Structures are given as structure tokens and as C-alpha cells.
Amino acid sequence: MSKQLTMVYWKSETFWLGKLIEYPEIMTQGETLEELKEHLKDLYHDISGGHIPGIRKVDELVVS
């Protein structure tokens, strides 16, 4: 099953850094952009599998 997530990423002097908008407090890095994307995918699988405790989430709230 596929899920589309939003990532924010940037290049530092040595690494590509990034995080998932849906889980803003956790960052990861990679030597290449492709490696960063793989690490973000692994991170999502760890989060959704319950392997990282205390995860805060971002969601939308509709108020009428």
C-alpha cells in the first residue's frame, strides 16, 4: 500500500538533510538526495510500525 507524504529537504555543506512534514520533530540525512529519500522511507516505516515511541503528528482540524 502506498502513502504520499510531504518532505522538506536541504543541502548542508556535507549532507542532504530532511524531514517529513507529517512528523516534523524527526530529521534524517543522506550523502545523496536519493539516500535521504530512502532514509525518510525507512523512518516512516519505523514510525508507522510503532518502533519509535512518543511520535507527535500533524493533522487538520475542521472547526465550524
Side-chain angles (χ1 to χ4, degrees), residues 4-48:
Q4 185 170 335
L5 301 168
T6 306
M7 65 180 207
V8 174
Y9 64 95
W10 60 97
K11 177 84 164 96
S12 71
E13 291 182 23
T14 11
F15 295 101
W16 286 89
L17 303 167
K19 59 185 176 178
L20 299 171
I21 290 294
E22 293 81 1
Y23 305 96
E25 62 199 27
I26 301 176
M27 287 181 33
T28 190
Q29 66 185 30
E31 291 185 16
T32 64
L33 182 55
E34 291 74 28
E35 183 179 48
L36 172 64
K37 288 179 181 181
E38 287 303 314
H39 290 177
L40 287 168
K41 290 175 187 177
D42 292 342
L43 180 63
Y44 173 73
H45 290 299
D46 287 345
I47 291 169
S48 62

